[in-house]
Amino acid sequence: GADDLAYVLYTSGSTGTPKGVAVPQGAVARLVRETDYAAFGPNEVSLLMAPLTFDASTFEIWGPLLNGGSLALLPPGEVTLDGLEGALRDFAVTTLWLTAGLFHLVVDERPGALAPLSQLLAGGDVLSPPHVARLRRELTGLRLIDGYGPTENTTFTACGEVGEGEPGAAVPIGRPIANTRLYILDAH
């Protein structure tokens, strides 16, 4: 059932103290079924690039598999820009998730590698407005989605499609994904 355990993932998050996060099956379904932030389905090919110990792998694996899509596996070994570009091309990948740091590196070094994609999700940290602007200029047809959320909420809590934006403006984290509530709290 939805409350049954799917997996336990260990994280230190922002505290620096390791802890286990027990993720129920319903949380995985909330992330990738009947959602509104990304396209999933039989025409989508996702790339599994994240280690299984990183919560992004939940999105990468179950997004395609629970929606009739295809899952491509990044060949083993060190991740390089050549390897990433080759995998995206060779497997006809349409959906990719990158950490903010890797997003910035790819945009700096080889933004054309992302050309096969129809949607790119990036996050886990703040996306740089100049990097977003460069990608928007170079790959105008690519849907860019900023994803935000802690491991405790199963990968994404909020997502938002990133447009041109105002020069130098911060990239917003978006709105709560389907079946999710987002609370903004003050000190009280």
Side-chain angles (χ1 to χ4, degrees):
D3 292 331
D4 291 336
L5 185 65
Y7 60 87
V8 175
L9 194 64
Y10 289 87
T11 181
S12 62
S14 58
T15 67
T17 303
K19 63 181 174 289
V21 176
V23 178
Q25 293 191 44
V28 175
R30 175 206 62 91
L31 177 66
V32 298
R33 294 289 297 152
E34 300 175 12
T35 193
D36 55 359
Y37 66 92
F40 295 108
N43 296 325
E44 300 299 326
V45 178
S46 295
L47 182 66
L48 175 59
M49 195 165 86
L52 297 178
T53 56
F54 183 32
D55 69 341
S57 67
T58 304
F59 166 83
E60 291 176 344
I61 294 169
W62 297 111
L65 295 184
L66 291 178
N67 291 285
S70 298
L71 178 62
L73 305 179
L74 188 68
E78 183 179 333
V79 177
T80 64
L81 290 179
D82 287 338
L84 176 60
E85 183 174 26
L88 296 178
R89 181 189 60 244
D90 296 346
F91 298 125
V93 174
T94 61
T95 302
L96 181 66
W97 190 94
L98 295 176
T99 62
L102 188 51
F103 169 78
H104 296 145
L105 176 67
V106 172
V107 171
D108 282 340
E109 301 293 327
R110 201 169 309 171
L114 303 172
L117 301 175
S118 57
Q119 57 186 356
L120 171 63
L121 292 96
D125 203 344
V126 178
L127 298 181
S128 149
H131 286 89
V132 168
R134 179 174 178 196
L135 186 70
R136 304 304 311 129
R137 281 191 312 272
E138 295 197 22
L139 298 174
T140 57
L142 176 62
R143 183 176 181 215
L144 176 60
I145 302 158
D146 185 17
Y148 168 80
T151 300
E152 292 82 355
N153 203 40
T154 317
T155 312
F156 296 133
T157 301
C159 287
E161 191 162 347
V162 181
E164 289 295 325
E166 295 180 30
V171 178
I173 63 170
R175 299 189 176 278
I177 67 171
N179 304 308
T180 302
R181 289 186 185 157
L182 182 66
Y183 295 93
I184 299 173
L185 306 174
D186 63 13
H188 303 289

